[in-house]
């Protein structure tokens, strides 16, 4: 199963050295959206910009913005 890494980017990159094994790129993209949503809930500001998905080889395959959830 391929391994994907989820980096948090805000001008500085918070890496994910361990990564996570997932069956498909689609599953990695879906998880990136969930991570971005949870960060927006937990942090509550816009200092973090994106969750970037990378392959185990270091190739960026997807990026999703972290946005504040509005009521």
């Amino acid at each position: 199963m391929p391994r994907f890494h989820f980096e948090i980017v805000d001008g500085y990159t918070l890496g994910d050295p361990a990564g996570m094994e997932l069956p498909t790129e689609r599953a990695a993209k879906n998880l990136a959206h969930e991570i971005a949503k949870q960060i927006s809930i937990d942090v509550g500001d816009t200092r973090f910009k994106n969750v970037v998905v990378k392959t185990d080889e270091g190739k960026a395959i997807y990026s999703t913005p972290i946005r504040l959830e509005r009521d």
Side-chain angles (χ1 to χ4, degrees):
M1 196 172 322
R3 182 174 297 275
F4 299 93
H5 302 267
F6 301 86
E7 297 184 346
I8 311 305
V9 178
D10 69 346
Y12 176 79
T13 300
L14 178 60
D16 174 20
M20 180 177 284
E21 288 185 347
L22 294 166
T24 64
E25 285 187 14
R26 169 60 62 203
K29 291 174 183 180
N30 289 340
L31 182 55
H33 283 281
E34 290 301 315
I35 292 169
K37 180 178 178 182
Q38 193 60 50
I39 290 171
S40 73
I41 292 167
D42 291 348
V43 176
D45 65 33
T46 58
R47 67 182 151 171
F48 299 109
K49 304 297 181 200
N50 295 294
V51 175
V52 177
V53 180
K54 291 188 174 182
T55 65
D56 216 17
E57 294 77 31
K59 178 183 175 189
I61 60 167
Y62 189 69
S63 179
T64 188
I66 299 170
R67 295 188 182 115
L68 286 176
E69 296 290 317
R70 301 286 182 205
D71 293 330

